[in-house]
Amino acid sequence: MKSKHIGSSFDDFLKEEGIYEDATSNAIKRVIAWQLAEAMKAKKISKAEMARRLKTSRTQVARFLYPENCSVQLETTQKAAAIVSKRLVIKLEDISRSA
């Protein structure tokens, strides 16, 4: 049976363009920001309350939750995750030989 997909994968395209790492890190940050925002909604924690618990300003929390902001520190992310009863998990994986 012939594959219905022709050409390279999207990951291959991003690598060829030299933007794979940036695109991947931006996607990860967007997902984390979305997950934190959703957890805050579920726990009924406002940005102001999150700011109080993080000992920072509401503006900083808004910046932290903004998906385009990729300069958030891991320590801040871990603290925010703990506030919404979550744990940040980061791991290194081997790159497959075909990559």
Side-chain angles (χ1 to χ4, degrees), residues 14-48:
L14 294 173
K15 288 173 187 174
E16 288 168 12
E17 295 296 312
I19 58 172
Y20 178 78
E21 287 77 14
D22 284 341
T24 302
S25 65
N26 285 337
I28 291 168
K29 170 53 174 94
R30 284 175 168 274
V31 169
I32 291 171
W34 177 80
Q35 288 177 330
L36 278 170
E38 290 298 306
M40 286 172 62
K41 283 181 200 172
K43 297 248 181 216
K44 296 179 174 38
I45 298 173
S46 67
K47 289 178 186 175

PDB file of all heavy atoms in Angstrom, residues 14-48:
ATOM      1  N   LEU A  14      10.810  22.501   9.384  1.00  0.00           N
ATOM      2  CA  LEU A  14      11.313  23.484  10.351  1.00  0.00           C
ATOM      3  C   LEU A  14      12.829  23.373  10.509  1.00  0.00           C
ATOM      4  O   LEU A  14      13.525  24.394  10.612  1.00  0.00           O
ATOM      5  CB  LEU A  14      10.625  23.292  11.708  1.00  0.00           C
ATOM      6  CG  LEU A  14       9.130  23.594  11.755  1.00  0.00           C
ATOM      7  CD1 LEU A  14       8.548  23.202  13.110  1.00  0.00           C
ATOM      8  CD2 LEU A  14       8.850  25.056  11.448  1.00  0.00           C
ATOM      9  N   LYS A  15      13.334  22.147  10.503  1.00  0.00           N
ATOM     10  CA  LYS A  15      14.788  21.940  10.610  1.00  0.00           C
ATOM     11  C   LYS A  15      15.503  22.495   9.390  1.00  0.00           C
ATOM     12  O   LYS A  15      16.539  23.145   9.519  1.00  0.00           O
ATOM     13  CB  LYS A  15      15.099  20.455  10.792  1.00  0.00           C
ATOM     14  CG  LYS A  15      14.725  19.940  12.166  1.00  0.00           C
ATOM     15  CD  LYS A  15      14.880  18.436  12.266  1.00  0.00           C
ATOM     16  CE  LYS A  15      14.343  17.931  13.592  1.00  0.00           C
ATOM     17  NZ  LYS A  15      14.338  16.469  13.663  1.00  0.00           N
ATOM     18  N   GLU A  16      14.951  22.256   8.217  1.00  0.00           N
ATOM     19  CA  GLU A  16      15.548  22.771   6.982  1.00  0.00           C
ATOM     20  C   GLU A  16      15.588  24.297   6.977  1.00  0.00           C
ATOM     21  O   GLU A  16      16.520  24.899   6.466  1.00  0.00           O
ATOM     22  CB  GLU A  16      14.772  22.268   5.759  1.00  0.00           C
ATOM     23  CG  GLU A  16      14.968  20.802   5.473  1.00  0.00           C
ATOM     24  CD  GLU A  16      13.986  20.260   4.441  1.00  0.00           C
ATOM     25  OE1 GLU A  16      13.291  21.069   3.779  1.00  0.00           O
ATOM     26  OE2 GLU A  16      13.921  19.030   4.292  1.00  0.00           O
ATOM     27  N   GLU A  17      14.566  24.912   7.566  1.00  0.00           N
ATOM     28  CA  GLU A  17      14.498  26.370   7.641  1.00  0.00           C
ATOM     29  C   GLU A  17      15.355  26.926   8.777  1.00  0.00           C
ATOM     30  O   GLU A  17      15.519  28.140   8.896  1.00  0.00           O
ATOM     31  CB  GLU A  17      13.040  26.823   7.832  1.00  0.00           C
ATOM     32  CG  GLU A  17      12.144  26.514   6.660  1.00  0.00           C
ATOM     33  CD  GLU A  17      12.551  27.256   5.408  1.00  0.00           C
ATOM     34  OE1 GLU A  17      12.774  28.481   5.489  1.00  0.00           O
ATOM     35  OE2 GLU A  17      12.653  26.615   4.348  1.00  0.00           O
ATOM     36  N   GLY A  18      15.867  26.041   9.638  1.00  0.00           N
ATOM     37  CA  GLY A  18      16.710  26.465  10.754  1.00  0.00           C
ATOM     38  C   GLY A  18      15.936  27.077  11.908  1.00  0.00           C
ATOM     39  O   GLY A  18      16.499  27.846  12.694  1.00  0.00           O
ATOM     40  N   ILE A  19      14.655  26.730  12.015  1.00  0.00           N
ATOM     41  CA  ILE A  19      13.831  27.324  13.075  1.00  0.00           C
ATOM     42  C   ILE A  19      13.178  26.277  13.973  1.00  0.00           C
ATOM     43  O   ILE A  19      12.292  26.597  14.768  1.00  0.00           O
ATOM     44  CB  ILE A  19      12.746  28.249  12.466  1.00  0.00           C
ATOM     45  CG1 ILE A  19      11.851  27.479  11.494  1.00  0.00           C
ATOM     46  CG2 ILE A  19      13.368  29.467  11.815  1.00  0.00           C
ATOM     47  CD1 ILE A  19      10.651  28.266  11.002  1.00  0.00           C
ATOM     48  N   TYR A  20      13.630  25.050  13.887  1.00  0.00           N
ATOM     49  CA  TYR A  20      13.017  23.969  14.657  1.00  0.00           C
ATOM     50  C   TYR A  20      13.074  24.229  16.166  1.00  0.00           C
ATOM     51  O   TYR A  20      12.069  24.116  16.857  1.00  0.00           O
ATOM     52  CB  TYR A  20      13.695  22.635  14.327  1.00  0.00           C
ATOM     53  CG  TYR A  20      13.145  21.479  15.121  1.00  0.00           C
ATOM     54  CD1 TYR A  20      11.937  20.896  14.763  1.00  0.00           C
ATOM     55  CD2 TYR A  20      13.826  20.960  16.218  1.00  0.00           C
ATOM     56  CE1 TYR A  20      11.417  19.842  15.487  1.00  0.00           C
ATOM     57  CE2 TYR A  20      13.310  19.907  16.946  1.00  0.00           C
ATOM     58  CZ  TYR A  20      12.112  19.346  16.566  1.00  0.00           C
ATOM     59  OH  TYR A  20      11.589  18.303  17.291  1.00  0.00           O
ATOM     60  N   GLU A  21      14.242  24.572  16.683  1.00  0.00           N
ATOM     61  CA  GLU A  21      14.401  24.766  18.121  1.00  0.00           C
ATOM     62  C   GLU A  21      13.544  25.930  18.623  1.00  0.00           C
ATOM     63  O   GLU A  21      12.886  25.830  19.663  1.00  0.00           O
ATOM     64  CB  GLU A  21      15.868  24.974  18.496  1.00  0.00           C
ATOM     65  CG  GLU A  21      16.721  23.715  18.411  1.00  0.00           C
ATOM     66  CD  GLU A  21      17.113  23.333  16.985  1.00  0.00           C
ATOM     67  OE1 GLU A  21      16.958  24.164  16.060  1.00  0.00           O
ATOM     68  OE2 GLU A  21      17.551  22.190  16.799  1.00  0.00           O
ATOM     69  N   ASP A  22      13.544  27.042  17.887  1.00  0.00           N
ATOM     70  CA  ASP A  22      12.732  28.195  18.283  1.00  0.00           C
ATOM     71  C   ASP A  22      11.245  27.856  18.248  1.00  0.00           C
ATOM     72  O   ASP A  22      10.497  28.198  19.168  1.00  0.00           O
ATOM     73  CB  ASP A  22      12.994  29.397  17.374  1.00  0.00           C
ATOM     74  CG  ASP A  22      14.309  30.085  17.674  1.00  0.00           C
ATOM     75  OD1 ASP A  22      14.853  29.889  18.782  1.00  0.00           O
ATOM     76  OD2 ASP A  22      14.796  30.833  16.799  1.00  0.00           O
ATOM     77  N   ALA A  23      10.820  27.180  17.199  1.00  0.00           N
ATOM     78  CA  ALA A  23       9.402  26.818  17.070  1.00  0.00           C
ATOM     79  C   ALA A  23       8.993  25.862  18.187  1.00  0.00           C
ATOM     80  O   ALA A  23       7.906  25.997  18.766  1.00  0.00           O
ATOM     81  CB  ALA A  23       9.139  26.190  15.706  1.00  0.00           C
ATOM     82  N   THR A  24       9.858  24.932  18.506  1.00  0.00           N
ATOM     83  CA  THR A  24       9.562  23.969  19.560  1.00  0.00           C
ATOM     84  C   THR A  24       9.480  24.645  20.919  1.00  0.00           C
ATOM     85  O   THR A  24       8.534  24.414  21.678  1.00  0.00           O
ATOM     86  CB  THR A  24      10.620  22.848  19.584  1.00  0.00           C
ATOM     87  OG1 THR A  24      10.632  22.210  18.306  1.00  0.00           O
ATOM     88  CG2 THR A  24      10.318  21.814  20.651  1.00  0.00           C
ATOM     89  N   SER A  25      10.425  25.507  21.234  1.00  0.00           N
ATOM     90  CA  SER A  25      10.400  26.180  22.533  1.00  0.00           C
ATOM     91  C   SER A  25       9.197  27.117  22.641  1.00  0.00           C
ATOM     92  O   SER A  25       8.570  27.210  23.706  1.00  0.00           O
ATOM     93  CB  SER A  25      11.708  26.918  22.815  1.00  0.00           C
ATOM     94  OG  SER A  25      11.905  27.964  21.901  1.00  0.00           O
ATOM     95  N   ASN A  26       8.848  27.789  21.551  1.00  0.00           N
ATOM     96  CA  ASN A  26       7.653  28.647  21.564  1.00  0.00           C
ATOM     97  C   ASN A  26       6.389  27.818  21.781  1.00  0.00           C
ATOM     98  O   ASN A  26       5.490  28.231  22.522  1.00  0.00           O
ATOM     99  CB  ASN A  26       7.538  29.443  20.270  1.00  0.00           C
ATOM    100  CG  ASN A  26       8.525  30.583  20.203  1.00  0.00           C
ATOM    101  OD1 ASN A  26       9.009  31.064  21.210  1.00  0.00           O
ATOM    102  ND2 ASN A  26       8.846  31.010  18.994  1.00  0.00           N
ATOM    103  N   ALA A  27       6.319  26.664  21.151  1.00  0.00           N
ATOM    104  CA  ALA A  27       5.147  25.798  21.308  1.00  0.00           C
ATOM    105  C   ALA A  27       5.041  25.298  22.748  1.00  0.00           C
ATOM    106  O   ALA A  27       3.942  25.275  23.324  1.00  0.00           O
ATOM    107  CB  ALA A  27       5.230  24.621  20.339  1.00  0.00           C
ATOM    108  N   ILE A  28       6.150  24.929  23.342  1.00  0.00           N
ATOM    109  CA  ILE A  28       6.154  24.460  24.726  1.00  0.00           C
ATOM    110  C   ILE A  28       5.683  25.574  25.652  1.00  0.00           C
ATOM    111  O   ILE A  28       4.832  25.367  26.527  1.00  0.00           O
ATOM    112  CB  ILE A  28       7.551  23.949  25.136  1.00  0.00           C
ATOM    113  CG1 ILE A  28       7.866  22.656  24.389  1.00  0.00           C
ATOM    114  CG2 ILE A  28       7.649  23.759  26.652  1.00  0.00           C
ATOM    115  CD1 ILE A  28       9.318  22.225  24.484  1.00  0.00           C
ATOM    116  N   LYS A  29       6.184  26.786  25.467  1.00  0.00           N
ATOM    117  CA  LYS A  29       5.795  27.915  26.312  1.00  0.00           C
ATOM    118  C   LYS A  29       4.308  28.200  26.173  1.00  0.00           C
ATOM    119  O   LYS A  29       3.611  28.456  27.149  1.00  0.00           O
ATOM    120  CB  LYS A  29       6.626  29.148  25.951  1.00  0.00           C
ATOM    121  CG  LYS A  29       6.147  30.461  26.589  1.00  0.00           C
ATOM    122  CD  LYS A  29       6.003  30.369  28.107  1.00  0.00           C
ATOM    123  CE  LYS A  29       5.668  31.677  28.739  1.00  0.00           C
ATOM    124  NZ  LYS A  29       4.266  31.947  28.951  1.00  0.00           N
ATOM    125  N   ARG A  30       3.787  28.148  24.949  1.00  0.00           N
ATOM    126  CA  ARG A  30       2.365  28.389  24.723  1.00  0.00           C
ATOM    127  C   ARG A  30       1.510  27.361  25.479  1.00  0.00           C
ATOM    128  O   ARG A  30       0.509  27.703  26.093  1.00  0.00           O
ATOM    129  CB  ARG A  30       2.030  28.311  23.235  1.00  0.00           C
ATOM    130  CG  ARG A  30       2.445  29.512  22.456  1.00  0.00           C
ATOM    131  CD  ARG A  30       2.170  29.267  20.958  1.00  0.00           C
ATOM    132  NE  ARG A  30       2.295  30.459  20.195  1.00  0.00           N
ATOM    133  CZ  ARG A  30       1.316  31.339  20.015  1.00  0.00           C
ATOM    134  NH1 ARG A  30       0.141  31.128  20.545  1.00  0.00           N
ATOM    135  NH2 ARG A  30       1.508  32.417  19.294  1.00  0.00           N
ATOM    136  N   VAL A  31       1.916  26.105  25.417  1.00  0.00           N
ATOM    137  CA  VAL A  31       1.164  25.045  26.082  1.00  0.00           C
ATOM    138  C   VAL A  31       1.192  25.239  27.596  1.00  0.00           C
ATOM    139  O   VAL A  31       0.164  25.131  28.269  1.00  0.00           O
ATOM    140  CB  VAL A  31       1.709  23.645  25.699  1.00  0.00           C
ATOM    141  CG1 VAL A  31       1.129  22.562  26.588  1.00  0.00           C
ATOM    142  CG2 VAL A  31       1.414  23.353  24.234  1.00  0.00           C
ATOM    143  N   ILE A  32       2.356  25.557  28.149  1.00  0.00           N
ATOM    144  CA  ILE A  32       2.462  25.760  29.589  1.00  0.00           C
ATOM    145  C   ILE A  32       1.612  26.956  30.026  1.00  0.00           C
ATOM    146  O   ILE A  32       0.901  26.888  31.026  1.00  0.00           O
ATOM    147  CB  ILE A  32       3.930  25.916  30.030  1.00  0.00           C
ATOM    148  CG1 ILE A  32       4.648  24.576  29.869  1.00  0.00           C
ATOM    149  CG2 ILE A  32       4.030  26.422  31.462  1.00  0.00           C
ATOM    150  CD1 ILE A  32       6.144  24.638  30.072  1.00  0.00           C
ATOM    151  N   ALA A  33       1.670  28.043  29.287  1.00  0.00           N
ATOM    152  CA  ALA A  33       0.869  29.227  29.622  1.00  0.00           C
ATOM    153  C   ALA A  33      -0.616  28.884  29.577  1.00  0.00           C
ATOM    154  O   ALA A  33      -1.378  29.264  30.473  1.00  0.00           O
ATOM    155  CB  ALA A  33       1.181  30.374  28.660  1.00  0.00           C
ATOM    156  N   TRP A  34      -1.036  28.151  28.560  1.00  0.00           N
ATOM    157  CA  TRP A  34      -2.441  27.751  28.443  1.00  0.00           C
ATOM    158  C   TRP A  34      -2.848  26.840  29.597  1.00  0.00           C
ATOM    159  O   TRP A  34      -3.907  27.025  30.200  1.00  0.00           O
ATOM    160  CB  TRP A  34      -2.675  27.061  27.100  1.00  0.00           C
ATOM    161  CG  TRP A  34      -4.079  26.570  26.946  1.00  0.00           C
ATOM    162  CD1 TRP A  34      -5.174  27.309  26.600  1.00  0.00           C
ATOM    163  CD2 TRP A  34      -4.552  25.238  27.161  1.00  0.00           C
ATOM    164  NE1 TRP A  34      -6.289  26.501  26.575  1.00  0.00           N
ATOM    165  CE2 TRP A  34      -5.932  25.233  26.920  1.00  0.00           C
ATOM    166  CE3 TRP A  34      -3.926  24.047  27.518  1.00  0.00           C
ATOM    167  CZ2 TRP A  34      -6.705  24.094  27.034  1.00  0.00           C
ATOM    168  CZ3 TRP A  34      -4.703  22.916  27.638  1.00  0.00           C
ATOM    169  CH2 TRP A  34      -6.076  22.944  27.397  1.00  0.00           C
ATOM    170  N   GLN A  35      -1.997  25.854  29.920  1.00  0.00           N
ATOM    171  CA  GLN A  35      -2.317  24.939  31.008  1.00  0.00           C
ATOM    172  C   GLN A  35      -2.424  25.668  32.341  1.00  0.00           C
ATOM    173  O   GLN A  35      -3.335  25.388  33.132  1.00  0.00           O
ATOM    174  CB  GLN A  35      -1.264  23.830  31.114  1.00  0.00           C
ATOM    175  CG  GLN A  35      -1.340  22.825  29.992  1.00  0.00           C
ATOM    176  CD  GLN A  35      -0.233  21.784  30.078  1.00  0.00           C
ATOM    177  OE1 GLN A  35       0.859  22.055  30.578  1.00  0.00           O
ATOM    178  NE2 GLN A  35      -0.517  20.594  29.582  1.00  0.00           N
ATOM    179  N   LEU A  36      -1.522  26.609  32.591  1.00  0.00           N
ATOM    180  CA  LEU A  36      -1.590  27.378  33.834  1.00  0.00           C
ATOM    181  C   LEU A  36      -2.851  28.236  33.883  1.00  0.00           C
ATOM    182  O   LEU A  36      -3.528  28.294  34.912  1.00  0.00           O
ATOM    183  CB  LEU A  36      -0.352  28.246  34.001  1.00  0.00           C
ATOM    184  CG  LEU A  36       0.873  27.529  34.565  1.00  0.00           C
ATOM    185  CD1 LEU A  36       2.110  28.410  34.452  1.00  0.00           C
ATOM    186  CD2 LEU A  36       0.647  27.111  36.002  1.00  0.00           C
ATOM    187  N   ALA A  37      -3.176  28.882  32.781  1.00  0.00           N
ATOM    188  CA  ALA A  37      -4.383  29.716  32.734  1.00  0.00           C
ATOM    189  C   ALA A  37      -5.634  28.867  32.979  1.00  0.00           C
ATOM    190  O   ALA A  37      -6.530  29.273  33.723  1.00  0.00           O
ATOM    191  CB  ALA A  37      -4.473  30.442  31.398  1.00  0.00           C
ATOM    192  N   GLU A  38      -5.691  27.685  32.377  1.00  0.00           N
ATOM    193  CA  GLU A  38      -6.828  26.792  32.570  1.00  0.00           C
ATOM    194  C   GLU A  38      -6.908  26.299  34.015  1.00  0.00           C
ATOM    195  O   GLU A  38      -7.993  26.213  34.591  1.00  0.00           O
ATOM    196  CB  GLU A  38      -6.748  25.603  31.601  1.00  0.00           C
ATOM    197  CG  GLU A  38      -6.982  25.980  30.151  1.00  0.00           C
ATOM    198  CD  GLU A  38      -8.371  26.547  29.911  1.00  0.00           C
ATOM    199  OE1 GLU A  38      -9.364  25.881  30.278  1.00  0.00           O
ATOM    200  OE2 GLU A  38      -8.472  27.663  29.366  1.00  0.00           O
ATOM    201  N   ALA A  39      -5.761  25.983  34.602  1.00  0.00           N
ATOM    202  CA  ALA A  39      -5.736  25.529  35.998  1.00  0.00           C
ATOM    203  C   ALA A  39      -6.154  26.661  36.930  1.00  0.00           C
ATOM    204  O   ALA A  39      -6.861  26.423  37.920  1.00  0.00           O
ATOM    205  CB  ALA A  39      -4.346  25.015  36.357  1.00  0.00           C
ATOM    206  N   MET A  40      -5.751  27.884  36.613  1.00  0.00           N
ATOM    207  CA  MET A  40      -6.166  29.034  37.416  1.00  0.00           C
ATOM    208  C   MET A  40      -7.684  29.200  37.357  1.00  0.00           C
ATOM    209  O   MET A  40      -8.323  29.449  38.379  1.00  0.00           O
ATOM    210  CB  MET A  40      -5.465  30.307  36.935  1.00  0.00           C
ATOM    211  CG  MET A  40      -4.004  30.392  37.330  1.00  0.00           C
ATOM    212  SD  MET A  40      -3.134  31.776  36.558  1.00  0.00           S
ATOM    213  CE  MET A  40      -4.033  33.184  37.227  1.00  0.00           C
ATOM    214  N   LYS A  41      -8.252  29.054  36.165  1.00  0.00           N
ATOM    215  CA  LYS A  41      -9.715  29.149  36.021  1.00  0.00           C
ATOM    216  C   LYS A  41     -10.404  28.067  36.852  1.00  0.00           C
ATOM    217  O   LYS A  41     -11.371  28.339  37.558  1.00  0.00           O
ATOM    218  CB  LYS A  41     -10.127  28.981  34.554  1.00  0.00           C
ATOM    219  CG  LYS A  41      -9.890  30.185  33.694  1.00  0.00           C
ATOM    220  CD  LYS A  41     -10.367  29.883  32.280  1.00  0.00           C
ATOM    221  CE  LYS A  41      -9.732  30.815  31.283  1.00  0.00           C
ATOM    222  NZ  LYS A  41     -10.024  30.411  29.898  1.00  0.00           N
ATOM    223  N   ALA A  42      -9.899  26.844  36.738  1.00  0.00           N
ATOM    224  CA  ALA A  42     -10.504  25.722  37.453  1.00  0.00           C
ATOM    225  C   ALA A  42     -10.446  25.923  38.966  1.00  0.00           C
ATOM    226  O   ALA A  42     -11.376  25.548  39.686  1.00  0.00           O
ATOM    227  CB  ALA A  42      -9.812  24.414  37.066  1.00  0.00           C
ATOM    228  N   LYS A  43      -9.371  26.512  39.437  1.00  0.00           N
ATOM    229  CA  LYS A  43      -9.198  26.744  40.880  1.00  0.00           C
ATOM    230  C   LYS A  43      -9.745  28.101  41.313  1.00  0.00           C
ATOM    231  O   LYS A  43      -9.624  28.473  42.471  1.00  0.00           O
ATOM    232  CB  LYS A  43      -7.716  26.647  41.242  1.00  0.00           C
ATOM    233  CG  LYS A  43      -7.114  25.287  40.994  1.00  0.00           C
ATOM    234  CD  LYS A  43      -6.779  24.673  42.290  1.00  0.00           C
ATOM    235  CE  LYS A  43      -6.161  23.311  42.069  1.00  0.00           C
ATOM    236  NZ  LYS A  43      -6.575  22.391  43.102  1.00  0.00           N
ATOM    237  N   LYS A  44     -10.276  28.849  40.342  1.00  0.00           N
ATOM    238  CA  LYS A  44     -10.820  30.189  40.606  1.00  0.00           C
ATOM    239  C   LYS A  44      -9.773  31.111  41.233  1.00  0.00           C
ATOM    240  O   LYS A  44     -10.042  31.824  42.205  1.00  0.00           O
ATOM    241  CB  LYS A  44     -12.072  30.108  41.467  1.00  0.00           C
ATOM    242  CG  LYS A  44     -13.212  29.385  40.772  1.00  0.00           C
ATOM    243  CD  LYS A  44     -14.427  29.307  41.662  1.00  0.00           C
ATOM    244  CE  LYS A  44     -15.650  28.737  41.032  1.00  0.00           C
ATOM    245  NZ  LYS A  44     -15.603  27.666  40.124  1.00  0.00           N
ATOM    246  N   ILE A  45      -8.572  31.071  40.637  1.00  0.00           N
ATOM    247  CA  ILE A  45      -7.474  31.941  41.078  1.00  0.00           C
ATOM    248  C   ILE A  45      -7.312  33.049  40.045  1.00  0.00           C
ATOM    249  O   ILE A  45      -7.023  32.783  38.877  1.00  0.00           O
ATOM    250  CB  ILE A  45      -6.155  31.156  41.238  1.00  0.00           C
ATOM    251  CG1 ILE A  45      -6.310  30.079  42.319  1.00  0.00           C
ATOM    252  CG2 ILE A  45      -4.997  32.093  41.560  1.00  0.00           C
ATOM    253  CD1 ILE A  45      -5.120  29.148  42.438  1.00  0.00           C
ATOM    254  N   SER A  46      -7.510  34.282  40.467  1.00  0.00           N
ATOM    255  CA  SER A  46      -7.370  35.422  39.560  1.00  0.00           C
ATOM    256  C   SER A  46      -5.894  35.744  39.348  1.00  0.00           C
ATOM    257  O   SER A  46      -5.017  35.264  40.079  1.00  0.00           O
ATOM    258  CB  SER A  46      -8.070  36.643  40.157  1.00  0.00           C
ATOM    259  OG  SER A  46      -7.384  37.055  41.331  1.00  0.00           O
ATOM    260  N   LYS A  47      -5.641  36.587  38.356  1.00  0.00           N
ATOM    261  CA  LYS A  47      -4.270  37.047  38.129  1.00  0.00           C
ATOM    262  C   LYS A  47      -3.759  37.814  39.341  1.00  0.00           C
ATOM    263  O   LYS A  47      -2.598  37.682  39.723  1.00  0.00           O
ATOM    264  CB  LYS A  47      -4.187  37.908  36.867  1.00  0.00           C
ATOM    265  CG  LYS A  47      -4.355  37.121  35.589  1.00  0.00           C
ATOM    266  CD  LYS A  47      -4.305  38.029  34.381  1.00  0.00           C
ATOM    267  CE  LYS A  47      -4.616  37.252  33.112  1.00  0.00           C
ATOM    268  NZ  LYS A  47      -4.684  38.131  31.951  1.00  0.00           N
ATOM    269  N   ALA A  48      -4.634  38.591  39.943  1.00  0.00           N
ATOM    270  CA  ALA A  48      -4.244  39.357  41.135  1.00  0.00           C
ATOM    271  C   ALA A  48      -3.870  38.422  42.281  1.00  0.00           C
ATOM    272  O   ALA A  48      -2.872  38.649  42.982  1.00  0.00           O
ATOM    273  CB  ALA A  48      -5.379  40.288  41.555  1.00  0.00           C
TER     274      ALA A  48
END
